[in-house]
Amino acid sequence: MKKIFFYIVICLGFISCSVDPEIKPEILEDEIKEIIPEGWPTPKYNFSNNPLTKEKFTLGRYLFYDPIMSANNTISCGSCHQQFVAFANAGHDVSHGINGLLGNRNAPAIQNVNWLPTFMHDGGILNLEVMPLAPITNPVEMNESMANVVNKIAVSAKYKQLFTEAYGDDAVSSQRIFKALATFMGTMYSNNSKYDLVKNGKESFTSQEQSGYNLFVQKCASCHKEPLFSDFDFKNNGLSVIVAYGDSGRAHITSNPSDRHKYKTPSLRNIELTGPYMHDGRFTTLDQCLNHYSSGIVSSPTLDPQLIGGISLSSQDKSNLIAFLKTLTDPKFLTESRFSEIK
Amino acid sequence: MKNGILFLLASLALLSCKKDVIVPPEPLPPLNYIDTTGFLEIHVDNVVNGAPLSLGTTTYVSSFTDTFSVDILKYYISNVQLVSANGYTYTEADSYYLVNEANPNSLHLMIKKVPPGQYTSIRFLIGVDSAKNVSGAQDGALDPINNMFWDWNTGYIMAKMEGHSPQSTQPTKKIVYHIGGFADKFKGIRYVSLNFPNTANTAKTHTPILNLEADLYKWFLNPNFSDFNTSSVITGISYESSGMADNYANMFSVTSVIN
């Protein structure tokens, strides 16, 4: 009898742990921890002023997919940043804003954004938290004022609950919106590609992938620096200028003529899926990208010196490189349910 | 024996549920601590060449004899410091104010936690310091909903003036000046240091009033500004915007201190 009593006590002890009300089944605590994979540099954004919580993550997740962010409630962040292509915009050279308006740049992937020292192709934005302000207010994107976004969200019963869960009360402010979005986007880690598994000794490259990787290290990695596959610097990579876009690139920010037509080196993680490629989405295939570097470089005063004369690549080299680039695809990241739209 | 082990297990199971979060108590001030600090109130008076500023259709004449009216006048005053007669400098913490002519409340700045003393001068920044420009989403005076934060090129608009002038080259005859930049050689932030005509005597129970005048006439003076025809619009960070910042750095004066 006594024994049975003790067993019951033990069982009760365990049960009381399993029904901890703080853990909801859909998002487990350990899934939204900050991650710094081995060998990666120190992140630029580290949540020190925005402590990670699953409630803030959930709020950010709702906001990311809510067209309430746009002037006519038709476009959300997720409209142009789709998870199945690493939060780039599948099939769009430039994205469609409200009323079908077109911009002049390609929507970049959202992944490992904590390591970015600057945002946008021209690097004009300097902190993850204020990045969403640009697409929200851009007349050819969401064309909404932040004041209106705050007002619309403040009258929503759904958000009253989500803000209370995230912040303890239902006061809506731009700061709270931005910090929730930074929580959602800042935990979009892509570090589970085959490349990562090879680096961790858990898998190995095929001989073609290995040849491609060797070529990559020799001919591409000075700008597309491992492990994030970018040096985050601004370069003119020899694309012909599409005058109609009127886009001076980095010079738009610095007003420095020597920065004309320079754009930030993009990461190559998930590159198999993040096309169309280049800052204006002019290439649809990786073949076109490699052909550009081998035989399409247009000379100009600000062309990156490493690209003068192009990069010599045989057709076998290109196939090998593409085989390697496909090892940067991260199926876990592309399908993780916590990043999907909540229906 | 067996029961003993079970008992131990049960205890462990229960222990494992205990939250190991230790909440430190709020630090309390020492028992004999008495807050003796008070306030200093600043009344901002925006004028044009001595005439009170009124937004809308009222017209003013610039030093170039251009006619102009004012629709928007907003600027940041931040990092306020008060210097006392004995050389002590009080630096206000979290010191950010957005002066907006359209919002009468914003023309009264309450400088907080001022230690009792006899203050003889004030020092402040027109604009927002570089740290707050790059530290992520802010609130209060620094909230982007105040339309003083650039969305495409991170940084605060330190000072903004919009209006109309028949001399403007814009189709709508608008004149637009959005002056920003926090790090560049052409940055728009400027330190201002002003002496008081008489001391401001602060105490816990006494709040002196500082009348601070900002004369828009001086914003548009030679040699840093041409005229409303040559420079109808200046937005961004440039040689021109920096010249304008040099001008507005000189537009303030303390007209009186009332104890």
Side-chain angles (χ1 to χ4, degrees):
Chain A
M1 182 58 205
K2 256 190 180 173
K3 256 187 186 175
I4 289 166
F5 175 73
F6 279 123
Y7 276 120
I8 289 167
V9 169
I10 290 171
C11 292
L12 278 174
F14 284 116
I15 284 168
S16 74
C17 291
S18 62
V19 293
D20 190 325
E22 298 218 326
I23 296 171
K24 286 179 185 167
E26 65 273 19
I27 299 165
L28 297 172
E29 191 96 56
D30 62 350
E31 285 180 3
I32 51 158
K33 277 192 180 145
E34 186 178 13
I35 296 172
I36 305 173
E38 210 186 317
W40 288 31
T42 307
K44 300 285 176 190
Y45 187 83
N46 60 14
F47 302 101
S48 57
N49 292 316
N50 185 20
L52 273 177
T53 66
K54 58 186 180 300
E55 290 82 6
K56 244 189 280 179
F57 177 94
T58 301
L59 172 61
R61 185 177 171 191
Y62 274 103
L63 290 167
F64 187 86
Y65 288 107
D66 198 332
I68 202 169
M69 299 296 221
S70 61
N72 58 6
N73 303 318
T74 56
I75 306 267
S76 72
C77 307
S79 300
C80 303
H81 295 283
Q82 302 159 299
Q83 185 183 7
F84 73 101
V85 289
F87 295 96
N89 196 181
H92 288 71
D93 51 354
V94 295
S95 293
H96 299 189
I98 69 165
N99 303 322
L101 292 168
L102 298 178
N104 59 3
R105 291 193 189 147
N106 180 253
I110 304 174
Q111 52 186 347
N112 305 326
V113 289
N114 297 351
W115 281 269
L116 294 178
T118 66
F119 296 84
M120 317 304 269
H121 290 292
D122 59 24
I125 294 170
L126 303 177
N127 190 296
L128 172 63
E129 290 178 11
V130 293
M131 202 291 305
L133 192 61
I136 289 168
T137 55
N138 190 322
V140 299
E141 294 181 53
M142 293 152 131
N143 191 30
E144 184 58 294
S145 76
M146 206 54 216
N148 276 349
V149 171
V150 169
N151 292 340
K152 285 193 282 185
I153 289 174
V155 296
S156 150
K158 176 178 87 177
Y159 282 113
K160 277 188 203 304
Q161 189 196 330
L162 288 164
F163 272 77
T164 305
E165 284 166 9
Y167 293 109
D169 63 68
D170 65 4
V172 177
S173 69
S174 75
Q175 188 182 48
R176 285 179 167 188
I177 292 169
F178 288 138
K179 285 185 185 288
L181 283 168
T183 302
F184 183 60
M185 295 190 290
T187 48
M188 290 180 176
Y189 298 105
S190 178
N191 64 324
N192 287 292
S193 64
K194 178 171 183 183
Y195 161 84
D196 296 298
L197 296 173
V198 171
K199 285 282 159 184
N200 295 334
K202 291 173 184 163
E203 272 200 47
S204 48
F205 284 138
T206 65
S207 62
Q208 189 183 22
E209 289 164 354
Q210 184 65 51
S211 305
Y213 178 60
N214 295 345
L215 265 171
F216 177 85
V217 170
Q218 192 193 333
K219 299 194 172 184
C220 314
S222 62
C223 296
H224 293 287
K225 199 176 156 200
E226 296 172 77
L228 289 147
F229 292 88
S230 174
D231 58 1
F232 305 121
D233 198 2
F234 303 89
K235 305 270 166 58
N236 177 340
N237 68 341
L239 295 166
S240 60
V241 174
I242 298 174
V243 178
Y245 278 150
D247 188 348
S248 62
R250 181 66 177 160
H252 181 54
I253 302 303
T254 63
S255 303
N256 187 343
S258 68
D259 286 333
R260 284 181 68 79
H261 308 305
K262 291 184 179 176
Y263 297 90
K264 189 167 56 192
T265 310
S267 173
L268 300 180
R269 285 182 172 272
N270 295 298
I271 193 72
E272 180 184 4
L273 300 157
T274 57
Y277 304 105
M278 304 297 163
H279 65 273
D280 52 16
R282 69 177 66 189
F283 298 140
T284 54
T285 65
L286 290 174
D287 275 317
Q288 288 172 328
C289 296
L290 294 181
N291 289 340
H292 166 72
Y293 286 115
S294 67
S295 57
I297 297 289
V298 176
S299 192
S300 72
T302 59
L303 175 65
D304 189 77
Q306 297 177 92
L307 292 174
I308 294 169
I311 301 172
S312 137
L313 295 169
S314 69
S315 58
Q316 185 59 53
D317 288 346
K318 290 174 191 171
S319 308
N320 294 349
L321 268 175
I322 288 172
F324 163 67
L325 290 173
K326 288 182 176 176
T327 71
L328 298 175
T329 302
D330 178 351
K332 178 170 181 273
F333 175 59
L334 304 172
T335 55
E336 259 181 294
S337 59
R338 66 179 169 140
F339 295 131
S340 65
E341 185 169 3
I342 305 173
K343 298 281 183 188
Chain B
M1 181 59 199
K2 254 190 184 171
N3 280 353
I5 290 166
L6 285 169
F7 199 66
L8 206 68
L9 278 173
S11 312
L12 279 173
L14 287 171
L15 274 176
S16 71
C17 292
K18 260 201 175 171
K19 293 265 167 192
D20 52 358
V21 179
I22 298 156
V23 182
E26 284 281 306
L28 293 169
L31 283 175
N32 60 352
Y33 176 82
I34 300 160
D35 183 3
T36 57
T37 65
F39 295 92
L40 178 129
E41 191 172 338
I42 300 177
H43 286 189
V44 178
D45 193 12
N46 295 313
V47 301
V48 185
N49 206 10
L53 175 63
S54 106
L55 298 179
T57 50
T58 310
T59 55
Y60 304 92
V61 180
S62 79
S63 63
F64 300 93
T65 67
D66 292 354
T67 310
F68 71 102
S69 61
V70 183
D71 299 320
I72 296 172
L73 178 66
K74 290 162 91 171
Y75 50 85
Y76 280 106
I77 287 180
S78 74
N79 294 273
V80 174
Q81 292 185 315
L82 298 170
V83 183
S84 78
N86 65 11
Y88 166 77
T89 300
Y90 168 66
T91 302
E92 190 189 32
D94 195 25
S95 180
Y96 299 94
Y97 301 92
L98 176 58
V99 174
N100 177 3
E101 180 62 21
N103 175 6
N105 290 336
S106 77
L107 304 176
H108 290 185
L109 283 47
M110 287 297 270
I111 309 305
K112 312 165 292 285
K113 292 202 182 296
V114 182
Q118 296 180 311
Y119 294 94
T120 55
S121 66
I122 186 169
R123 194 171 133 89
F124 59 84
L125 199 61
I126 311 173
V128 177
D129 52 89
S130 57
K132 280 284 191 243
N133 277 267
V134 297
S135 305
Q138 306 295 325
D139 59 0
L142 301 178
D143 192 321
I145 66 167
N146 296 318
N147 291 324
M148 293 291 278
F149 189 76
W150 274 319
D151 48 33
W152 55 279
N153 186 1
T154 291
Y156 285 92
I157 298 171
M158 309 307 174
K160 179 190 270 191
M161 184 274 189
E162 292 185 18
H164 286 83
S165 172
Q167 280 75 32
S168 168
T169 55
Q170 294 296 299
T172 54
K173 299 294 170 193
K174 277 194 87 166
I175 48 175
V176 177
Y177 308 99
H178 296 181
I179 310 304
F182 56 88
D184 191 84
K185 63 178 170 177
F186 296 136
K187 65 189 169 202
I189 51 179
R190 291 291 182 278
Y191 269 108
V192 175
S193 200
L194 300 167
N195 291 323
F196 300 163
N198 51 284
T199 60
N201 305 324
T202 65
K204 187 177 173 62
T205 52
H206 180 70
T207 303
I209 293 169
L210 181 73
N211 284 306
L212 180 69
E213 187 178 273
D215 190 348
L216 204 48
Y217 188 80
K218 294 178 182 167
W219 186 323
F220 300 103
L221 283 183
N222 234 346
N224 298 319
F225 181 72
S226 303
D227 54 52
F228 293 129
N229 184 263
T230 315
S231 300
S232 307
V233 175
I234 301 174
T235 60
I237 305 159
S238 64
Y239 179 78
E240 263 192 312
S241 71
S242 177
M244 196 155 255
D246 288 338
N247 272 4
Y248 61 57
N250 290 318
M251 74 176 177
F252 292 95
S253 59
V254 176
T255 53
S256 63
V257 172
I258 300 161
N259 281 299

